[in-house]
Amino acid sequence: MRKTPFVLFAVLAAVTTACSGGGSPSTPGPEGPAGTAPRTSPVTTTMERDCSADYLAQLTLRQKLGQLLTVGVTGTDDALAVVRDHQVGGIFIGGWTDLSMLTDGGLDQVKAAARLPLMVTIDEEGGRVSRVSELIGTAPSARATARAMTPDEFYDATLTRGKALQDLGVTVNFAPDVDVSSQPDNTVIGDRSFSADPAVVTEYADAYIRAMTEVGVGTVIKHFPGHGAGSGDSHLGAVRVPPLEQLRDRDLVPFRELVDSGAGVMVGHLDVPGLTDPEVPASISPAVMSLLREGRGYGAAPFSGPIFTDDLGGMAAITNRMSIEQAVEAALVAGADNALWISTEAVPRVLDRLEQAVADGRLPIADVDASVLRMAWFKGAPLPC
């Protein structure tokens, strides 16, 4: 399996010492589009630090916070309003979205309203999780793929599908699913999993990431720390997975092996014995974010890329416990970089709450800035100098 070092431009260093010069290590600036191959880290220069500071300086606090949100849209008008009025960092194309916005020039209008590059996201896994099959055709499920194709054949097929997504204007695909599962096909993960063997999952996911990367579509692996042996469906209620010590040698293996692949990571709404606190699922758990960032708890390299939440607004594992405003704040305070949910109506209230969280010190501005810069790199936002 080919792996490349995943590095990020000067996120924390640029935030904390933005105009001070110095020689701490840096990672690439955000000049490459989402999904471009990672590169070896250069030494941070004073200009790079100044550029990071300048990038942040062009945004108000509310706009910075907007950059950390990705919201589902119903069509062009809905997307145009939320981007124009709130400068959200991403929009999500779901099963409820009027897909004509991808074919009639509507998306171009939406992108033009964004001050910074806009993520256009989707979860186009193939199989039963497919949002644009009527536009680009169908693809088999992950499980069927692993049974019928070699990894090289899957790589070639993904090149074609990724190019079709890119042609529609999609920039980030919330795929592949790297859950390790032997559960029946029609369960919540089921045939969305390549295999019950973590090595097989890793091999096929790697092929998928490399192919999407080649055509310029970013990828996000999910659902950290592993949904494959979950007790149920987090769309319907709380889900308990095996204890952390049992996840290490099975569910966490693909995440460990792909941590430097260039993909982002989506955290699931999972209760993990030995890791999460009661009533604090993984997507809003500081312990889970630290496990992923540091890597030590499951034998991985540190992860410096963007951390996304699973949908915070339409899944009962979260909504039975708290409001969307509470959930988004909890996720960002815990250490996520981007909060995802499926509608735009609550965006003003969410931003109000996040501004107050910064003012009250619950959400440090340094953490906000670091997340803005991580998302800038992932989106391929150009530096202003």
Side-chain angles (χ1 to χ4, degrees):
M1 180 182 67
R2 183 188 68 83
K3 293 169 67 177
T4 55
F6 176 64
V7 287
L8 184 62
F9 80 108
V11 175
L12 296 177
V15 171
T16 57
T17 59
C19 296
S20 64
S24 59
S26 174
T27 51
E31 60 272 10
T36 53
R39 297 168 291 166
T40 303
S41 171
V43 173
T44 302
T45 66
T46 301
M47 179 175 291
E48 286 170 331
R49 292 173 186 267
D50 288 345
C51 284
S52 296
D54 289 347
Y55 182 87
L56 294 168
Q58 67 185 316
L59 301 170
T60 66
L61 172 60
R62 195 172 180 90
Q63 289 169 342
K64 288 179 182 179
L65 294 166
Q67 288 295 299
L68 310 186
L69 310 180
T70 297
V71 292
V73 296
T74 58
T76 299
D77 290 345
D78 189 27
L80 186 59
V82 77
V83 171
R84 181 190 60 228
D85 296 344
H86 303 295
Q87 292 297 313
V88 295
I91 58 171
F92 177 72
I93 308 300
W96 58 89
T97 306
D98 180 353
L99 298 181
S100 66
M101 70 178 292
L102 303 178
T103 59
D104 66 2
L107 184 58
D108 292 335
Q109 298 177 47
V110 177
K111 289 182 175 180
R115 293 189 58 191
L116 301 173
L118 178 72
M119 282 193 306
V120 181
T121 71
I122 199 167
D123 52 353
E124 185 62 35
E125 299 175 16
R128 57 193 161 104
V129 182
S130 180
R131 310 305 179 192
V132 289
S133 58
E134 64 188 76
L135 299 179
I136 67 172
T138 61
S141 68
R143 184 170 289 171
T145 292
R147 290 171 176 168
M149 296 183 191
T150 67
D152 286 344
E153 290 170 337
F154 183 48
Y155 173 84
D156 290 338
T158 304
L159 282 176
T160 300
R161 201 160 184 82
K163 183 61 167 62
L165 288 175
Q166 201 246 10
D167 287 345
L168 290 175
V170 172
T171 66
V172 174
N173 190 4
F174 292 134
D177 189 318
V178 300
D179 294 314
V180 179
S181 184
S182 60
Q183 294 181 343
D185 283 359
N186 62 353
T187 55
V188 62
I189 300 301
D191 63 357
R192 298 168 65 190
S193 169
F194 290 104
S195 175
D197 181 342
V200 173
V201 171
T202 302
E203 187 173 25
Y204 280 84
D206 175 71
Y208 188 96
I209 293 165
R210 287 187 289 112
M212 286 285 173
T213 295
E214 184 169 326
V215 299
V217 176
T219 53
V220 178
I221 56 178
K222 58 190 183 185
H223 305 83
F224 189 85
H227 201 316
S231 61
D233 184 346
S234 52
H235 295 85
L236 305 177
V239 173
R240 186 181 178 94
V241 299
L244 177 59
E245 59 267 24
Q246 294 180 31
L247 298 178
R248 286 192 180 101
D249 295 329
R250 176 182 161 91
D251 300 76
L252 280 164
V253 170
F255 294 101
R256 180 167 63 239
E257 294 301 312
L258 297 168
V259 72
D260 58 2
S261 66
V265 175
M266 177 179 286
V267 179
H269 307 314
L270 308 170
D271 297 337
V272 187
L275 181 59
T276 59
D277 292 333
E279 298 301 311
V280 182
S283 54
I284 60 171
S285 167
V288 171
M289 304 301 174
S290 294
L291 178 73
L292 176 56
R293 279 280 176 240
E294 298 172 6
R296 293 193 301 267
Y298 70 112
F303 178 67
S304 57
I307 298 175
F308 294 81
T309 70
D310 205 346
D311 169 26
L312 295 168
M315 301 177 72
I318 287 290
T319 59
N320 285 351
R321 289 162 159 158
M322 62 190 69
S323 69
I324 185 61
E325 297 93 336
Q326 292 170 320
V328 173
E329 179 187 334
L332 297 184
V333 169
D337 298 300
N338 195 277
L340 167 70
W341 75 99
I342 58 174
S343 63
T344 60
E345 181 268 335
V347 169
R349 300 196 308 274
V350 166
L351 289 172
D352 288 346
R353 185 178 181 103
L354 293 177
E355 284 190 304
Q356 192 61 51
V358 173
D360 293 344
R362 298 191 303 275
L363 180 58
I365 187 60
D367 292 351
V368 172
D369 286 349
S371 291
V372 170
L373 291 173
R374 285 193 190 95
M375 297 313 304
W377 177 85
F378 194 65
K379 293 191 299 181
L383 290 173
C385 56

